Amino acid sequence: MKYTHIIWDFNGTLFDDVDAGIASVNKMLCERGLSTISNKDEYREVFKFPIINYYRDLGFDFESEPYEVLAPIWVELYNENSKSSTLCPNALELLEYFKEKNIPQVLLSATERNMLLGQIEELGISGYFDAVLGLDNIHAYSKKDIAIEWLRKQKDIKPLFIGDTEHDAQVARAVCADCILVAQGHQSKATLLKCGYPVYNDLGEVMELLKL
């Protein structure tokens, strides 16, 4: 391994919460008489960052309900729906692999930090991370500034970023990190292939890359 640190995205990369995300937004759409998302393929085509643009594209009317009102509604639904979500296949094996190699692992997410800490504690993976970096609010605008601030405090490191969205690619590029993307999460492979980084179907293929 030529990398000194692994920077993990959480949702869709380590945590298999796509179904929970679809169920949560569909309930909100249905209650407002808007068209719902029919399947994962459709979801992966429409999902984007910042989340406010994703909501706008789905038809939410910010004049009648500002995004700041909608966001906590989604969080409450997601917290309930994600209770049945689990780690992505091969996530635990990869976390353990890097731990055995003594490569520090960092979790970087657009999730509110306390919510994130609760999730990884529930999943039993909090012990794998040397740092857990999340937002100080629930609005999921961007994690780029958090990444830049964290990297600024580090010296002589070469991180590898592992994520599942074009936002992960943008963050990796902003901090001059190498990046690999997995098409098992919140965006389609076609979208990820436009980002300029290697794209794998899932973490199983990443394991093959590492020859586990």
Side-chain angles (χ1 to χ4, degrees):
M1 288 290 293
K2 64 180 180 178
Y3 300 105
T4 61
H5 291 71
I6 303 298
I7 303 178
W8 286 101
D9 170 60
F10 182 60
N11 304 90
T13 303
L14 289 173
F15 191 40
D16 188 7
D17 65 345
V18 172
D19 286 335
I22 295 172
S24 302
V25 79
N26 271 350
K27 182 170 176 56
M28 295 171 64
L29 290 167
C30 185
E31 290 175 345
R32 289 157 182 80
L34 298 171
S35 298
T36 57
I37 297 169
S38 57
N39 55 50
K40 287 184 180 180
D41 288 340
E42 180 184 349
Y43 171 78
R44 287 172 173 141
E45 288 299 328
V46 298
F47 183 83
K48 66 179 64 174
F49 280 94
I51 298 297
I52 188 171
N53 291 342
Y54 162 59
Y55 276 40
R56 183 179 289 112
D57 288 351
L58 289 174
F60 288 101
D61 181 5
F62 296 148
E63 292 294 323
S64 59
E65 280 184 295
Y67 174 68
E68 290 73 18
V69 172
L70 292 166
I73 297 173
W74 183 89
V75 168
E76 184 176 352
L77 291 167
Y78 172 82
N79 283 339
E80 185 61 33
N81 289 321
S82 64
K83 287 179 180 178
S84 58
S85 299
T86 60
L87 287 172
C88 294
N90 301 301
L92 191 59
E93 289 85 349
L94 278 167
L95 289 168
E96 187 63 30
Y97 171 78
F98 293 126
K99 181 179 180 180
E100 290 176 356
K101 294 290 185 182
N102 294 315
I103 301 173
Q105 300 181 79
V106 175
L107 190 62
L108 174 66
S109 176
T111 299
E112 191 274 327
R113 188 170 185 274
N114 289 328
M115 181 176 166
L116 181 61
L117 288 170
Q119 287 178 305
I120 63 172
E121 185 69 31
E122 215 32 59
L123 291 164
I125 59 172
S126 56
Y128 287 100
F129 302 109
D130 293 77
V132 177
L133 311 175
L135 301 187
D136 60 1
N137 62 74
I138 63 170
H139 302 307
Y141 287 120
S142 175
K143 55 193 177 186
K144 183 172 71 173
D145 290 343
I146 299 172
I148 292 171
E149 178 64 18
W150 182 81
L151 263 296
R152 188 181 62 81
K153 298 175 183 176
Q154 313 305 312
K155 291 185 178 180
D156 300 322
I157 73 167
K158 185 171 180 58
L160 172 66
F161 200 109
I162 304 176
D164 73 305
T165 68
E166 57 189 348
H167 183 51
D168 294 320
Q170 292 162 359
V171 173
R173 190 164 281 112
V175 298
C176 299
D178 284 352
C179 179
I180 58 177
L181 300 169
V182 287
Q184 65 186 17
H186 291 274
Q187 287 191 307
S188 69
K189 189 171 186 176
T191 297
L192 299 180
L193 285 169
K194 299 174 184 177
C195 296
Y197 289 113
V199 179
Y200 299 89
N201 289 320
D202 50 40
L203 292 180
E205 288 192 358
V206 177
M207 289 179 67
E208 292 180 14
L209 171 71
L210 297 172
K211 296 181 170 59
L212 296 188

Tab-separated table of all heavy atoms in Angstrom, residues 58-93:
chain	number	residue	atom	x	y	z
A	58	LEU	N	-36.781	16.876	-7.560
A	58	LEU	CA	-37.894	15.966	-7.290
A	58	LEU	C	-39.236	16.697	-7.245
A	58	LEU	O	-40.288	16.048	-7.237
A	58	LEU	CB	-37.672	15.229	-5.964
A	58	LEU	CG	-36.562	14.167	-5.967
A	58	LEU	CD1	-36.355	13.614	-4.555
A	58	LEU	CD2	-36.872	13.036	-6.933
A	59	GLY	N	-39.214	18.006	-7.199
A	59	GLY	CA	-40.454	18.775	-7.258
A	59	GLY	C	-40.900	19.417	-5.967
A	59	GLY	O	-41.990	20.004	-5.912
A	60	PHE	N	-40.095	19.343	-4.919
A	60	PHE	CA	-40.472	20.000	-3.667
A	60	PHE	C	-40.545	21.508	-3.880
A	60	PHE	O	-39.711	22.096	-4.561
A	60	PHE	CB	-39.461	19.680	-2.560
A	60	PHE	CG	-39.547	18.267	-2.046
A	60	PHE	CD1	-38.646	17.310	-2.460
A	60	PHE	CD2	-40.543	17.903	-1.156
A	60	PHE	CE1	-38.720	16.008	-1.997
A	60	PHE	CE2	-40.636	16.603	-0.679
A	60	PHE	CZ	-39.721	15.643	-1.107
A	61	ASP	N	-41.561	22.100	-3.291
A	61	ASP	CA	-41.823	23.531	-3.441
A	61	ASP	C	-41.247	24.269	-2.234
A	61	ASP	O	-41.841	24.278	-1.162
A	61	ASP	CB	-43.331	23.774	-3.552
A	61	ASP	CG	-43.667	25.242	-3.733
A	61	ASP	OD1	-42.736	26.066	-3.865
A	61	ASP	OD2	-44.869	25.561	-3.732
A	62	PHE	N	-40.102	24.905	-2.415
A	62	PHE	CA	-39.453	25.595	-1.308
A	62	PHE	C	-40.172	26.889	-0.919
A	62	PHE	O	-39.899	27.452	0.140
A	62	PHE	CB	-37.993	25.892	-1.651
A	62	PHE	CG	-37.148	24.658	-1.848
A	62	PHE	CD1	-36.090	24.665	-2.739
A	62	PHE	CD2	-37.407	23.499	-1.137
A	62	PHE	CE1	-35.305	23.540	-2.921
A	62	PHE	CE2	-36.633	22.368	-1.310
A	62	PHE	CZ	-35.585	22.374	-2.202
A	63	GLU	N	-41.078	27.352	-1.772
A	63	GLU	CA	-41.864	28.533	-1.411
A	63	GLU	C	-42.853	28.191	-0.303
A	63	GLU	O	-43.063	28.977	0.624
A	63	GLU	CB	-42.617	29.058	-2.637
A	63	GLU	CG	-41.725	29.650	-3.713
A	63	GLU	CD	-41.020	30.904	-3.236
A	63	GLU	OE1	-41.638	31.694	-2.488
A	63	GLU	OE2	-39.835	31.087	-3.601
A	64	SER	N	-43.466	27.013	-0.400
A	64	SER	CA	-44.436	26.606	0.625
A	64	SER	C	-43.766	25.902	1.796
A	64	SER	O	-44.224	25.991	2.934
A	64	SER	CB	-45.499	25.686	0.017
A	64	SER	OG	-44.911	24.525	-0.541
A	65	GLU	N	-42.675	25.180	1.511
A	65	GLU	CA	-41.923	24.482	2.559
A	65	GLU	C	-40.433	24.642	2.294
A	65	GLU	O	-39.886	23.983	1.421
A	65	GLU	CB	-42.260	22.983	2.577
A	65	GLU	CG	-43.535	22.610	3.276
A	65	GLU	CD	-43.713	21.101	3.308
A	65	GLU	OE1	-43.870	20.510	2.223
A	65	GLU	OE2	-43.695	20.526	4.408
A	66	PRO	N	-39.781	25.544	3.008
A	66	PRO	CA	-38.340	25.738	2.797
A	66	PRO	C	-37.558	24.445	3.045
A	66	PRO	O	-38.001	23.564	3.793
A	66	PRO	CB	-37.980	26.806	3.844
A	66	PRO	CG	-39.269	27.488	4.156
A	66	PRO	CD	-40.334	26.447	4.023
A	67	TYR	N	-36.424	24.356	2.401
A	67	TYR	CA	-35.563	23.185	2.576
A	67	TYR	C	-35.237	22.944	4.049
A	67	TYR	O	-35.166	21.805	4.507
A	67	TYR	CB	-34.271	23.382	1.772
A	67	TYR	CG	-33.256	22.295	1.991
A	67	TYR	CD1	-33.480	20.997	1.535
A	67	TYR	CD2	-32.057	22.567	2.663
A	67	TYR	CE1	-32.546	19.998	1.732
A	67	TYR	CE2	-31.114	21.575	2.859
A	67	TYR	CZ	-31.372	20.294	2.403
A	67	TYR	OH	-30.437	19.300	2.614
A	68	GLU	N	-35.058	24.022	4.794
A	68	GLU	CA	-34.715	23.902	6.213
A	68	GLU	C	-35.837	23.267	7.019
A	68	GLU	O	-35.610	22.744	8.107
A	68	GLU	CB	-34.368	25.282	6.784
A	68	GLU	CG	-33.059	25.867	6.292
A	68	GLU	CD	-33.113	26.350	4.850
A	68	GLU	OE1	-34.230	26.554	4.323
A	68	GLU	OE2	-32.031	26.535	4.251
A	69	VAL	N	-37.059	23.306	6.488
A	69	VAL	CA	-38.196	22.635	7.126
A	69	VAL	C	-38.251	21.168	6.688
A	69	VAL	O	-38.546	20.272	7.491
A	69	VAL	CB	-39.520	23.352	6.764
A	69	VAL	CG1	-40.732	22.549	7.254
A	69	VAL	CG2	-39.543	24.755	7.368
A	70	LEU	N	-37.952	20.924	5.425
A	70	LEU	CA	-38.029	19.570	4.885
A	70	LEU	C	-36.915	18.663	5.418
A	70	LEU	O	-37.139	17.473	5.656
A	70	LEU	CB	-37.952	19.615	3.355
A	70	LEU	CG	-39.149	20.245	2.645
A	70	LEU	CD1	-38.801	20.543	1.190
A	70	LEU	CD2	-40.360	19.324	2.722
A	71	ALA	N	-35.724	19.214	5.594
A	71	ALA	CA	-34.572	18.399	5.991
A	71	ALA	C	-34.809	17.613	7.286
A	71	ALA	O	-34.557	16.405	7.322
A	71	ALA	CB	-33.323	19.266	6.097
A	72	PRO	N	-35.292	18.229	8.364
A	72	PRO	CA	-35.517	17.447	9.589
A	72	PRO	C	-36.626	16.413	9.450
A	72	PRO	O	-36.604	15.384	10.138
A	72	PRO	CB	-35.862	18.503	10.642
A	72	PRO	CG	-36.223	19.730	9.888
A	72	PRO	CD	-35.474	19.676	8.607
A	73	ILE	N	-37.582	16.652	8.557
A	73	ILE	CA	-38.628	15.653	8.313
A	73	ILE	C	-37.999	14.406	7.712
A	73	ILE	O	-38.278	13.272	8.119
A	73	ILE	CB	-39.720	16.218	7.381
A	73	ILE	CG1	-40.426	17.406	8.035
A	73	ILE	CG2	-40.722	15.122	7.000
A	73	ILE	CD1	-41.396	18.130	7.120
A	74	TRP	N	-37.121	14.625	6.728
A	74	TRP	CA	-36.434	13.491	6.105
A	74	TRP	C	-35.565	12.755	7.116
A	74	TRP	O	-35.542	11.523	7.152
A	74	TRP	CB	-35.563	13.969	4.941
A	74	TRP	CG	-34.906	12.833	4.228
A	74	TRP	CD1	-35.398	12.109	3.177
A	74	TRP	CD2	-33.627	12.251	4.524
A	74	TRP	NE1	-34.509	11.118	2.813
A	74	TRP	CE2	-33.416	11.180	3.633
A	74	TRP	CE3	-32.639	12.530	5.491
A	74	TRP	CZ2	-32.261	10.400	3.643
A	74	TRP	CZ3	-31.492	11.754	5.507
A	74	TRP	CH2	-31.308	10.705	4.591
A	75	VAL	N	-34.852	13.494	7.942
A	75	VAL	CA	-33.967	12.868	8.936
A	75	VAL	C	-34.752	11.966	9.874
A	75	VAL	O	-34.334	10.845	10.185
A	75	VAL	CB	-33.187	13.939	9.731
A	75	VAL	CG1	-32.495	13.315	10.947
A	75	VAL	CG2	-32.155	14.613	8.829
A	76	GLU	N	-35.919	12.437	10.313
A	76	GLU	CA	-36.745	11.626	11.217
A	76	GLU	C	-37.196	10.334	10.528
A	76	GLU	O	-37.141	9.244	11.120
A	76	GLU	CB	-37.957	12.434	11.670
A	76	GLU	CG	-38.815	11.698	12.693
A	76	GLU	CD	-39.956	12.541	13.213
A	76	GLU	OE1	-40.012	13.746	12.897
A	76	GLU	OE2	-40.806	11.993	13.946
A	77	LEU	N	-37.619	10.443	9.272
A	77	LEU	CA	-38.031	9.255	8.519
A	77	LEU	C	-36.845	8.329	8.275
A	77	LEU	O	-36.947	7.105	8.424
A	77	LEU	CB	-38.636	9.674	7.180
A	77	LEU	CG	-39.990	10.381	7.236
A	77	LEU	CD1	-40.325	11.012	5.893
A	77	LEU	CD2	-41.089	9.407	7.650
A	78	TYR	N	-35.705	8.910	7.926
A	78	TYR	CA	-34.508	8.123	7.650
A	78	TYR	C	-34.033	7.381	8.894
A	78	TYR	O	-33.636	6.207	8.822
A	78	TYR	CB	-33.403	9.033	7.116
A	78	TYR	CG	-32.069	8.341	6.990
A	78	TYR	CD1	-31.769	7.550	5.882
A	78	TYR	CD2	-31.104	8.468	7.987
A	78	TYR	CE1	-30.549	6.906	5.772
A	78	TYR	CE2	-29.880	7.818	7.885
A	78	TYR	CZ	-29.614	7.041	6.783
A	78	TYR	OH	-28.403	6.404	6.678
A	79	ASN	N	-34.062	8.048	10.026
A	79	ASN	CA	-33.630	7.399	11.269
A	79	ASN	C	-34.448	6.143	11.542
A	79	ASN	O	-33.919	5.137	12.038
A	79	ASN	CB	-33.743	8.366	12.444
A	79	ASN	CG	-32.609	9.374	12.468
A	79	ASN	OD1	-31.554	9.153	11.877
A	79	ASN	ND2	-32.821	10.499	13.136
A	80	GLU	N	-35.720	6.197	11.217
A	80	GLU	CA	-36.587	5.034	11.424
A	80	GLU	C	-36.319	3.974	10.349
A	80	GLU	O	-36.148	2.788	10.656
A	80	GLU	CB	-38.050	5.472	11.384
A	80	GLU	CG	-39.040	4.355	11.700
A	80	GLU	CD	-38.863	3.774	13.088
A	80	GLU	OE1	-38.480	4.516	14.019
A	80	GLU	OE2	-39.086	2.544	13.242
A	81	ASN	N	-36.271	4.390	9.094
A	81	ASN	CA	-36.105	3.438	7.995
A	81	ASN	C	-34.726	2.778	7.972
A	81	ASN	O	-34.587	1.634	7.521
A	81	ASN	CB	-36.348	4.131	6.651
A	81	ASN	CG	-37.813	4.478	6.435
A	81	ASN	OD1	-38.702	3.716	6.795
A	81	ASN	ND2	-38.076	5.639	5.855
A	82	SER	N	-33.712	3.482	8.453
A	82	SER	CA	-32.350	2.940	8.386
A	82	SER	C	-32.042	1.969	9.520
A	82	SER	O	-30.950	1.383	9.549
A	82	SER	CB	-31.321	4.083	8.386
A	82	SER	OG	-31.373	4.810	9.597
A	83	LYS	N	-32.977	1.778	10.423
A	83	LYS	CA	-32.747	0.839	11.525
A	83	LYS	C	-32.523	-0.576	11.011
A	83	LYS	O	-31.850	-1.384	11.657
A	83	LYS	CB	-33.927	0.863	12.497
A	83	LYS	CG	-33.985	2.114	13.361
A	83	LYS	CD	-35.183	2.084	14.296
A	83	LYS	CE	-35.228	3.339	15.168
A	83	LYS	NZ	-36.428	3.361	16.053
A	84	SER	N	-33.083	-0.885	9.850
A	84	SER	CA	-32.910	-2.226	9.282
A	84	SER	C	-31.748	-2.277	8.279
A	84	SER	O	-31.463	-3.337	7.711
A	84	SER	CB	-34.199	-2.677	8.583
A	84	SER	OG	-34.568	-1.763	7.559
A	85	SER	N	-31.076	-1.142	8.056
A	85	SER	CA	-29.944	-1.116	7.127
A	85	SER	C	-28.712	-1.728	7.779
A	85	SER	O	-28.535	-1.682	8.993
A	85	SER	CB	-29.639	0.312	6.686
A	85	SER	OG	-30.740	0.890	6.020
A	86	THR	N	-27.837	-2.291	6.957
A	86	THR	CA	-26.640	-2.960	7.453
A	86	THR	C	-25.411	-2.431	6.716
A	86	THR	O	-25.523	-1.604	5.806
A	86	THR	CB	-26.737	-4.480	7.235
A	86	THR	OG1	-26.876	-4.739	5.822
A	86	THR	CG2	-27.949	-5.050	7.973
A	87	LEU	N	-24.261	-2.927	7.106
A	87	LEU	CA	-23.042	-2.602	6.372
A	87	LEU	C	-23.107	-3.180	4.959
A	87	LEU	O	-23.722	-4.225	4.734
A	87	LEU	CB	-21.829	-3.175	7.093
A	87	LEU	CG	-21.389	-2.479	8.385
A	87	LEU	CD1	-20.295	-3.292	9.066
A	87	LEU	CD2	-20.905	-1.063	8.112
A	88	CYS	N	-22.472	-2.508	4.031
A	88	CYS	CA	-22.374	-3.032	2.672
A	88	CYS	C	-21.558	-4.328	2.680
A	88	CYS	O	-20.658	-4.488	3.517
A	88	CYS	CB	-21.690	-2.017	1.756
A	88	CYS	SG	-22.641	-0.504	1.489
A	89	PRO	N	-21.856	-5.244	1.777
A	89	PRO	CA	-21.055	-6.466	1.685
A	89	PRO	C	-19.568	-6.137	1.534
A	89	PRO	O	-19.195	-5.243	0.772
A	89	PRO	CB	-21.598	-7.149	0.422
A	89	PRO	CG	-23.009	-6.664	0.316
A	89	PRO	CD	-22.973	-5.243	0.797
A	90	ASN	N	-18.747	-6.835	2.293
A	90	ASN	CA	-17.280	-6.708	2.290
A	90	ASN	C	-16.765	-5.462	2.996
A	90	ASN	O	-15.542	-5.261	3.065
A	90	ASN	CB	-16.728	-6.752	0.858
A	90	ASN	CG	-17.087	-8.031	0.128
A	90	ASN	OD1	-16.746	-9.117	0.575
A	90	ASN	ND2	-17.811	-7.899	-0.974
A	91	ALA	N	-17.649	-4.622	3.536
A	91	ALA	CA	-17.194	-3.420	4.238
A	91	ALA	C	-16.370	-3.781	5.470
A	91	ALA	O	-15.282	-3.232	5.689
A	91	ALA	CB	-18.385	-2.552	4.628
A	92	LEU	N	-16.865	-4.697	6.268
A	92	LEU	CA	-16.167	-5.070	7.494
A	92	LEU	C	-14.813	-5.694	7.191
A	92	LEU	O	-13.815	-5.426	7.878
A	92	LEU	CB	-17.028	-6.032	8.315
A	92	LEU	CG	-16.555	-6.298	9.749
A	92	LEU	CD1	-16.490	-5.007	10.543
A	92	LEU	CD2	-17.480	-7.298	10.430
A	93	GLU	N	-14.766	-6.520	6.137
A	93	GLU	CA	-13.508	-7.160	5.764
A	93	GLU	C	-12.453	-6.127	5.363
A	93	GLU	O	-11.275	-6.251	5.718
A	93	GLU	CB	-13.740	-8.136	4.607
A	93	GLU	CG	-14.505	-9.387	4.984
A	93	GLU	CD	-16.018	-9.206	4.945
A	93	GLU	OE1	-16.483	-8.047	4.817
A	93	GLU	OE2	-16.730	-10.216	5.047
